[in-house]
Coordinates of all heavy atoms in Angstrom, one line a residue:
M1 N 13.4 -5.0 -5.2 CA 12.4 -4.6 -6.2 C 11.6 -3.5 -5.7 O 11.5 -3.3 -4.5 CB 11.5 -5.8 -6.5 CG 10.3 -5.8 -5.7 SD 9.2 -7.2 -6.0 CE 8.8 -7.6 -4.3
I2 N 11.2 -2.6 -6.6 CA 10.3 -1.5 -6.3 C 9.0 -1.7 -7.0 O 9.0 -1.9 -8.2 CB 10.9 -0.2 -6.7 CG1 12.2 0.0 -5.9 CG2 9.9 1.0 -6.4 CD1 13.0 1.3 -6.3
K3 N 7.9 -1.7 -6.3 CA 6.5 -1.9 -6.9 C 5.7 -0.6 -6.5 O 5.8 -0.1 -5.4 CB 5.8 -3.1 -6.3 CG 6.5 -4.4 -6.7 CD 5.9 -4.9 -8.0 CE 6.4 -6.3 -8.2 NZ 5.9 -6.9 -9.4
T4 N 4.9 -0.2 -7.5 CA 4.0 0.9 -7.3 C 2.5 0.4 -7.4 O 2.2 -0.4 -8.3 CB 4.2 2.0 -8.3 OG1 5.5 2.4 -8.3 CG2 3.2 3.2 -8.1
F5 N 1.7 0.8 -6.4 CA 0.3 0.4 -6.4 C -0.6 1.6 -6.4 O -0.2 2.7 -5.8 CB 0.0 -0.4 -5.1 CG 0.8 -1.7 -5.0 CD1 2.1 -1.7 -4.4 CD2 0.4 -2.9 -5.6 CE1 2.8 -2.8 -4.3 CE2 1.2 -4.0 -5.5 CZ 2.4 -4.0 -4.9
I6 N -1.7 1.6 -7.1 CA -2.7 2.6 -7.1 C -3.7 2.4 -6.1 O -4.2 1.2 -6.0 CB -3.3 2.8 -8.5 CG1 -2.3 2.9 -9.6 CG2 -4.4 3.9 -8.5 CD1 -1.4 4.1 -9.5
L7 N -4.0 3.3 -5.2 CA -5.0 3.2 -4.2 C -6.2 4.1 -4.6 O -6.3 5.2 -4.1 CB -4.4 3.6 -2.8 CG -3.1 2.9 -2.4 CD1 -2.6 3.5 -1.1 CD2 -3.3 1.4 -2.3
E8 N -7.0 3.6 -5.4 CA -8.2 4.3 -6.0 C -9.2 4.7 -4.9 O -9.6 3.9 -4.1 CB -8.9 3.5 -7.0 CG -8.1 3.3 -8.3 CD -8.8 2.4 -9.3 OE1 -10.0 2.1 -9.2 OE2 -8.1 2.1 -10.3
D9 N -9.5 6.0 -4.8 CA -10.5 6.6 -3.9 C -9.9 6.7 -2.5 O -10.7 6.9 -1.5 CB -11.8 5.7 -3.9 CG -12.5 5.7 -5.2 OD1 -12.4 6.7 -5.9 OD2 -13.1 4.7 -5.6
L10 N -8.6 6.7 -2.3 CA -8.0 7.0 -1.0 C -8.1 8.5 -0.8 O -7.6 9.3 -1.5 CB -6.6 6.6 -0.9 CG -5.9 6.8 0.4 CD1 -6.5 6.0 1.5 CD2 -4.4 6.5 0.2
D11 N -8.8 8.9 0.3 CA -9.0 10.3 0.6 C -8.8 10.7 2.1 O -9.1 11.8 2.5 CB -10.4 10.8 0.1 CG -11.5 10.0 0.8 OD1 -11.2 9.2 1.7 OD2 -12.7 10.3 0.4
C12 N -8.2 9.8 2.8 CA -8.0 10.0 4.3 C -6.5 10.0 4.6 O -5.9 9.0 4.5 CB -8.7 8.9 5.1 SG -8.4 9.0 6.8
A13 N -6.0 11.2 5.0 CA -4.6 11.3 5.3 C -4.2 10.5 6.5 O -3.1 9.8 6.4 CB -4.2 12.8 5.6
H14 N -5.0 10.4 7.5 CA -4.7 9.6 8.6 C -4.6 8.1 8.2 O -3.7 7.4 8.6 CB -5.8 9.8 9.7 CG -5.6 9.0 11.0 ND1 -4.4 8.4 11.3 CD2 -6.4 8.7 12.0 CE1 -4.5 7.8 12.5 NE2 -5.8 7.9 12.9
C15 N -5.6 7.6 7.4 CA -5.6 6.2 7.0 C -4.4 6.0 6.1 O -3.8 4.9 6.2 CB -6.9 5.9 6.2 SG -8.3 6.1 7.2
A16 N -4.0 6.9 5.2 CA -2.8 6.8 4.4 C -1.6 6.5 5.2 O -0.7 5.7 4.9 CB -2.7 8.0 3.5
G17 N -1.5 7.3 6.3 CA -0.3 7.1 7.2 C -0.3 5.8 7.9 O 0.8 5.2 8.0
K18 N -1.5 5.3 8.3 CA -1.6 4.0 8.9 C -1.2 2.9 7.9 O -0.5 1.9 8.3 CB -3.0 3.7 9.5 CG -3.4 4.6 10.6 CD -2.6 4.2 11.8 CE -3.2 4.9 13.1 NZ -2.5 4.5 14.3
I19 N -1.7 3.0 6.7 CA -1.4 2.0 5.6 C 0.1 2.0 5.4 O 0.8 1.0 5.3 CB -2.1 2.3 4.3 CG1 -3.6 2.1 4.6 CG2 -1.6 1.5 3.2 CD1 -4.5 2.7 3.5
E20 N 0.7 3.2 5.2 CA 2.2 3.3 5.0 C 3.0 2.7 6.1 O 3.9 1.9 5.8 CB 2.5 4.8 4.9 CG 4.0 5.0 4.7 CD 4.3 6.5 4.5 OE1 4.1 7.0 3.4 OE2 4.7 7.1 5.5
E21 N 2.6 2.9 7.3 CA 3.3 2.4 8.5 C 3.2 0.8 8.5 O 4.2 0.1 8.7 CB 2.7 3.0 9.7 CG 3.4 2.6 11.0 CD 2.7 3.2 12.2 OE1 2.3 4.4 12.2 OE2 2.6 2.5 13.2
E22 N 2.0 0.3 8.3 CA 1.8 -1.1 8.5 C 2.4 -1.9 7.3 O 3.0 -2.9 7.5 CB 0.3 -1.5 8.6 CG 0.1 -2.9 8.9 CD -1.3 -3.3 9.4 OE1 -2.0 -2.4 9.9 OE2 -1.6 -4.5 9.4
V23 N 2.3 -1.4 6.1 CA 3.0 -2.0 5.0 C 4.5 -2.0 5.2 O 5.2 -3.0 4.9 CB 2.6 -1.3 3.6 CG1 3.5 -1.8 2.5 CG2 1.2 -1.6 3.3
G24 N 5.0 -0.9 5.7 CA 6.5 -0.8 6.0 C 7.0 -1.8 7.0 O 8.2 -2.1 7.1
R25 N 6.1 -2.3 7.9 CA 6.5 -3.2 8.9 C 6.4 -4.7 8.4 O 6.7 -5.6 9.1 CB 5.6 -3.1 10.1 CG 5.9 -1.9 11.0 CD 5.3 -1.9 12.3 NE 3.9 -2.3 12.3 CZ 2.8 -1.5 12.5 NH1 3.0 -0.3 12.8 NH2 1.6 -2.0 12.5
M26 N 5.9 -4.9 7.2 CA 5.7 -6.3 6.7 C 7.1 -6.9 6.5 O 8.1 -6.2 6.2 CB 5.0 -6.2 5.3 CG 3.6 -5.9 5.3 SD 2.8 -5.7 3.7 CE 3.4 -7.1 2.8
A27 N 7.2 -8.2 6.7 CA 8.4 -8.9 6.5 C 8.9 -8.8 5.1 O 8.1 -9.0 4.2 CB 8.2 -10.4 6.9
G28 N 10.1 -8.4 4.9 CA 10.7 -8.3 3.5 C 10.5 -7.0 2.9 O 11.1 -6.7 1.9
V29 N 9.8 -6.1 3.5 CA 9.6 -4.7 3.0 C 10.7 -3.8 3.7 O 10.8 -3.8 4.9 CB 8.2 -4.2 3.3 CG1 8.1 -2.7 2.9 CG2 7.2 -5.0 2.5
T30 N 11.4 -3.0 2.9 CA 12.4 -2.2 3.4 C 11.9 -0.7 3.5 O 12.4 0.1 4.2 CB 13.7 -2.2 2.6 OG1 13.4 -2.0 1.2 CG2 14.4 -3.6 2.7
K31 N 11.0 -0.3 2.6 CA 10.5 1.0 2.6 C 9.1 1.0 2.0 O 8.8 0.3 1.0 CB 11.4 1.9 1.8 CG 11.0 3.4 1.8 CD 12.0 4.2 1.1 CE 11.6 5.7 1.1 NZ 12.5 6.5 0.3
S32 N 8.2 1.9 2.6 CA 6.8 2.0 2.1 C 6.5 3.5 2.1 O 6.7 4.2 3.1 CB 5.9 1.3 3.0 OG 4.6 1.6 2.8
T33 N 5.9 4.1 1.0 CA 5.6 5.5 0.9 C 4.2 5.6 0.3 O 4.0 5.1 -0.8 CB 6.6 6.3 0.1 OG1 7.9 6.0 0.7 CG2 6.3 7.7 0.1
V34 N 3.3 6.3 1.0 CA 2.0 6.6 0.4 C 1.9 8.0 0.1 O 2.3 8.9 0.9 CB 0.8 6.2 1.4 CG1 -0.5 6.7 0.8 CG2 0.8 4.7 1.6
T35 N 1.5 8.4 -1.1 CA 1.3 9.8 -1.5 C -0.2 10.0 -1.7 O -0.7 9.4 -2.7 CB 2.1 10.1 -2.8 OG1 3.5 9.8 -2.6 CG2 2.0 11.6 -3.1
L36 N -0.8 10.7 -0.8 CA -2.2 10.8 -0.9 C -2.7 11.6 -2.1 O -3.7 11.2 -2.7 CB -2.7 11.6 0.4 CG -4.2 11.8 0.5 CD1 -4.9 10.5 0.6 CD2 -4.5 12.6 1.8
L37 N -2.0 12.6 -2.5 CA -2.4 13.4 -3.6 C -2.5 12.6 -4.9 O -3.4 12.8 -5.7 CB -1.4 14.6 -3.8 CG -1.7 15.6 -4.9 CD1 -3.0 16.3 -4.5 CD2 -0.6 16.7 -5.0
T38 N -1.5 11.7 -5.1 CA -1.5 10.9 -6.3 C -2.2 9.5 -6.1 O -2.3 8.7 -7.1 CB -0.1 10.7 -6.9 OG1 0.7 10.0 -5.9 CG2 0.5 12.0 -7.3
Q39 N -2.5 9.2 -4.9 CA -3.1 7.9 -4.5 C -2.2 6.8 -4.9 O -2.7 5.7 -5.4 CB -4.5 7.8 -5.1 CG -5.5 8.8 -4.7 CD -6.9 8.6 -5.2 OE1 -7.1 8.0 -6.3 NE2 -7.9 9.1 -4.5
K40 N -0.9 6.9 -4.6 CA 0.0 5.9 -4.9 C 0.7 5.3 -3.7 O 1.0 6.1 -2.7 CB 1.1 6.4 -5.9 CG 0.6 6.6 -7.3 CD 1.7 7.0 -8.2 CE 1.2 7.3 -9.6 NZ 2.3 7.9 -10.4
L41 N 1.0 4.1 -3.7 CA 1.8 3.4 -2.7 C 3.0 2.8 -3.4 O 2.9 2.0 -4.3 CB 1.0 2.3 -2.0 CG 1.8 1.3 -1.2 CD1 2.5 2.0 0.1 CD2 0.9 0.2 -0.7
V42 N 4.2 3.3 -3.0 CA 5.5 2.7 -3.5 C 6.1 1.9 -2.4 O 6.3 2.4 -1.3 CB 6.4 3.9 -4.0 CG1 7.7 3.3 -4.5 CG2 5.7 4.7 -5.0
V43 N 6.5 0.6 -2.8 CA 7.0 -0.3 -1.8 C 8.4 -0.8 -2.4 O 8.5 -1.2 -3.5 CB 6.1 -1.5 -1.6 CG1 6.7 -2.5 -0.7 CG2 4.7 -1.0 -1.1
E44 N 9.4 -0.7 -1.5 CA 10.7 -1.4 -1.8 C 10.7 -2.6 -1.0 O 10.5 -2.6 0.3 CB 11.8 -0.5 -1.4 CG 12.0 0.7 -2.3 CD 13.1 1.6 -1.9 OE1 14.1 1.1 -1.4 OE2 13.1 2.8 -2.2
A45 N 10.9 -3.8 -1.6 CA 10.9 -5.1 -0.9 C 11.8 -6.1 -1.5 O 12.3 -5.9 -2.7 CB 9.5 -5.6 -0.9
E46 N 12.1 -7.1 -0.8 CA 12.9 -8.2 -1.3 C 12.1 -9.0 -2.4 O 10.9 -9.1 -2.3 CB 13.2 -9.2 -0.2 CG 14.0 -8.6 1.0 CD 14.0 -9.5 2.2 OE1 13.5 -10.6 2.2 OE2 14.7 -9.1 3.2
D47 N 12.8 -9.5 -3.4 CA 12.2 -10.2 -4.5 C 11.4 -11.4 -4.0 O 10.4 -11.8 -4.7 CB 13.2 -10.7 -5.5 CG 13.9 -9.5 -6.2 OD1 13.2 -8.4 -6.3 OD2 15.0 -9.6 -6.7
G48 N 11.7 -12.0 -2.9 CA 11.1 -13.3 -2.5 C 9.7 -13.1 -2.0 O 8.9 -14.1 -2.0
I49 N 9.2 -11.9 -1.8 CA 7.8 -11.7 -1.4 C 6.9 -11.2 -2.5 O 5.7 -10.9 -2.2 CB 7.7 -10.8 -0.1 CG1 8.1 -9.4 -0.4 CG2 8.5 -11.4 1.0 CD1 7.7 -8.4 0.6
A50 N 7.4 -11.1 -3.7 CA 6.7 -10.5 -4.8 C 5.3 -11.3 -5.0 O 4.3 -10.6 -5.4 CB 7.5 -10.6 -6.1
G51 N 5.3 -12.6 -4.8 CA 4.1 -13.3 -5.1 C 2.9 -13.0 -4.2 O 1.8 -13.1 -4.6
T52 N 3.2 -12.6 -2.9 CA 2.2 -12.4 -2.0 C 2.0 -10.9 -1.6 O 1.1 -10.6 -0.9 CB 2.5 -13.1 -0.6 OG1 3.7 -12.6 -0.1 CG2 2.5 -14.6 -0.9
L53 N 2.8 -10.1 -2.2 CA 2.8 -8.6 -1.9 C 1.4 -8.0 -2.1 O 0.9 -7.3 -1.2 CB 3.9 -7.9 -2.6 CG 4.2 -6.5 -2.2 CD1 4.6 -6.4 -0.7 CD2 5.3 -5.9 -3.1
L54 N 0.9 -8.1 -3.3 CA -0.4 -7.5 -3.6 C -1.5 -7.9 -2.7 O -2.3 -7.1 -2.2 CB -0.8 -7.8 -5.1 CG -2.1 -7.1 -5.6 CD1 -2.1 -5.6 -5.4 CD2 -2.4 -7.5 -7.0
A55 N -1.6 -9.2 -2.4 CA -2.7 -9.7 -1.6 C -2.5 -9.2 -0.1 O -3.5 -8.8 0.5 CB -2.7 -11.3 -1.6
D56 N -1.3 -9.2 0.4 CA -1.1 -8.7 1.7 C -1.4 -7.2 1.8 O -2.0 -6.7 2.8 CB 0.4 -8.9 2.1 CG 0.7 -10.4 2.3 OD1 -0.3 -11.2 2.5 OD2 1.9 -10.8 2.3
I57 N -1.0 -6.4 0.8 CA -1.3 -5.0 0.8 C -2.8 -4.7 0.7 O -3.4 -3.9 1.4 CB -0.6 -4.3 -0.4 CG1 0.9 -4.2 0.0 CG2 -1.1 -2.9 -0.6 CD1 1.8 -3.7 -1.1
K58 N -3.5 -5.5 -0.1 CA -5.0 -5.4 -0.1 C -5.6 -5.6 1.2 O -6.6 -4.9 1.6 CB -5.6 -6.4 -1.1 CG -5.4 -6.0 -2.6 CD -6.1 -6.9 -3.5 CE -5.9 -6.5 -5.0 NZ -6.6 -7.4 -5.9
K59 N -5.2 -6.6 2.0 CA -5.7 -6.9 3.3 C -5.5 -5.7 4.2 O -6.4 -5.3 5.0 CB -5.0 -8.1 3.9 CG -5.5 -9.4 3.3 CD -4.7 -10.6 4.0 CE -5.0 -11.8 3.2 NZ -4.1 -12.9 3.7
I60 N -4.3 -5.1 4.2 CA -4.0 -3.9 5.1 C -4.9 -2.7 4.7 O -5.5 -2.1 5.5 CB -2.5 -3.6 5.0 CG1 -1.7 -4.7 5.6 CG2 -2.2 -2.2 5.6 CD1 -0.2 -4.6 5.4
V61 N -5.0 -2.5 3.4 CA -5.7 -1.3 2.9 C -7.2 -1.5 3.3 O -7.9 -0.5 3.8 CB -5.6 -1.1 1.4 CG1 -6.6 -0.1 0.9 CG2 -4.1 -0.7 1.1
K62 N -7.8 -2.7 3.1 CA -9.2 -2.9 3.4 C -9.5 -2.7 4.9 O -10.6 -2.3 5.3 CB -9.6 -4.3 3.0 CG -9.7 -4.5 1.5 CD -10.7 -3.6 0.9 CE -10.7 -3.7 -0.7 NZ -11.4 -2.7 -1.3
K63 N -8.5 -3.0 5.8 CA -8.6 -2.8 7.2 C -8.9 -1.3 7.5 O -9.7 -1.0 8.4 CB -7.4 -3.3 7.9 CG -7.5 -3.2 9.4 CD -6.4 -4.1 10.1 CE -5.1 -3.5 10.2 NZ -4.1 -4.2 11.0
Y64 N -8.2 -0.4 6.8 CA -8.3 1.0 7.1 C -9.3 1.7 6.2 O -9.9 2.7 6.6 CB -7.0 1.7 7.1 CG -6.0 1.2 8.1 CD1 -5.0 0.3 7.8 CD2 -6.1 1.5 9.4 CE1 -4.1 -0.2 8.7 CE2 -5.3 1.0 10.4 CZ -4.3 0.1 10.0 OH -3.4 -0.3 11.0
E65 N -9.4 1.3 5.0 CA -10.2 2.0 4.0 C -10.9 0.9 3.1 O -10.5 0.6 2.1 CB -9.4 2.9 3.1 CG -9.0 4.2 3.7 CD -10.1 5.2 3.6 OE1 -11.1 5.0 3.0 OE2 -9.9 6.3 4.3
P66 N -12.1 0.4 3.6 CA -12.7 -0.7 2.9 C -13.2 -0.4 1.5 O -13.4 -1.3 0.7 CB -14.0 -1.0 3.8 CG -13.8 -0.3 5.0 CD -12.7 0.8 4.8
D67 N -13.4 0.9 1.2 CA -13.9 1.3 -0.2 C -12.8 1.6 -1.2 O -13.0 1.9 -2.3 CB -14.8 2.5 0.0 CG -16.0 2.2 0.7 OD1 -16.5 1.0 0.7 OD2 -16.6 3.1 1.4
V68 N -11.5 1.5 -0.7 CA -10.4 1.7 -1.6 C -10.1 0.5 -2.5 O -10.0 -0.6 -1.9 CB -9.2 2.2 -0.8 CG1 -7.9 2.2 -1.7 CG2 -9.4 3.5 -0.2
T69 N -9.8 0.7 -3.7 CA -9.4 -0.4 -4.6 C -7.9 -0.3 -4.8 O -7.4 0.7 -5.1 CB -10.1 -0.2 -6.0 OG1 -11.6 -0.2 -5.8 CG2 -9.8 -1.4 -6.9
V70 N -7.3 -1.5 -4.7 CA -5.8 -1.5 -4.8 C -5.5 -2.3 -6.1 O -6.0 -3.4 -6.4 CB -5.2 -2.3 -3.7 CG1 -3.6 -2.3 -3.9 CG2 -5.5 -1.7 -2.3
R71 N -4.7 -1.7 -7.0 CA -4.2 -2.3 -8.2 C -2.8 -2.0 -8.4 O -2.3 -0.9 -8.0 CB -5.1 -2.0 -9.4 CG -5.1 -0.6 -9.8 CD -6.1 -0.3 -11.0 NE -6.2 1.1 -11.3 CZ -5.3 1.8 -12.0 NH1 -4.3 1.2 -12.5 NH2 -5.5 3.1 -12.2
E72 N -2.1 -2.9 -9.0 CA -0.7 -2.7 -9.3 C -0.5 -1.9 -10.6 O -1.3 -2.0 -11.5 CB 0.0 -4.1 -9.6 CG 1.5 -4.0 -9.5 CD 2.2 -5.4 -9.4 OE1 1.5 -6.4 -9.1 OE2 3.4 -5.4 -9.6
K73 N 0.4 -0.9 -10.5 CA 0.6 0.0 -11.6 C 1.5 -0.7 -12.7 O 2.4 -1.5 -12.4 CB 1.2 1.3 -11.2 CG 1.4 2.2 -12.3 CD 1.9 3.6 -11.8 CE 2.0 4.5 -13.0 NZ 2.7 5.7 -12.7

């Protein structure tokens, strides 16, 4: 499955890279791409982790950018 998330107020390129890297290392995730300009995170993952994907991504994002709001597109 491919899911897109909006990372509202993301403005740090270094943090975007860290988020992309850590989400990409999550179990069941095959690819993770953050586009800073559009504030989007696109994740390719196994269907089995769909239920916990948003919550796990929110935890990762809050670790690097506490003021960023994550929502599913």
Side-chain angles (χ1 to χ4, degrees):
M1 89 181 139
I2 298 175
K3 294 272 190 180
T4 302
F5 300 91
I6 305 299
L7 306 177
E8 293 177 9
D9 299 324
L10 179 66
D11 58 4
C12 171
H14 180 19
C15 299
K18 294 286 189 181
I19 292 166
E20 178 178 280
E21 184 180 319
E22 191 163 339
V23 170
R25 287 194 314 252
M26 289 172 46
V29 172
T30 55
K31 186 176 179 184
S32 166
T33 306
V34 174
T35 306
L36 183 61
L37 188 62
T38 59
Q39 297 182 337
K40 288 183 183 175
L41 166 64
V42 179
V43 178
E44 292 181 27
E46 299 170 0
D47 292 334
I49 65 166
T52 61
L53 191 58
L54 180 58
D56 292 342
I57 288 172
K58 282 183 177 182
K59 287 178 191 173
I60 292 169
V61 170
K62 292 297 177 190
K63 182 163 82 171
Y64 296 104
E65 283 280 351
D67 296 329
V68 170
T69 303
V70 180
R71 63 182 172 83
E72 196 167 346
K73 183 172 179 192

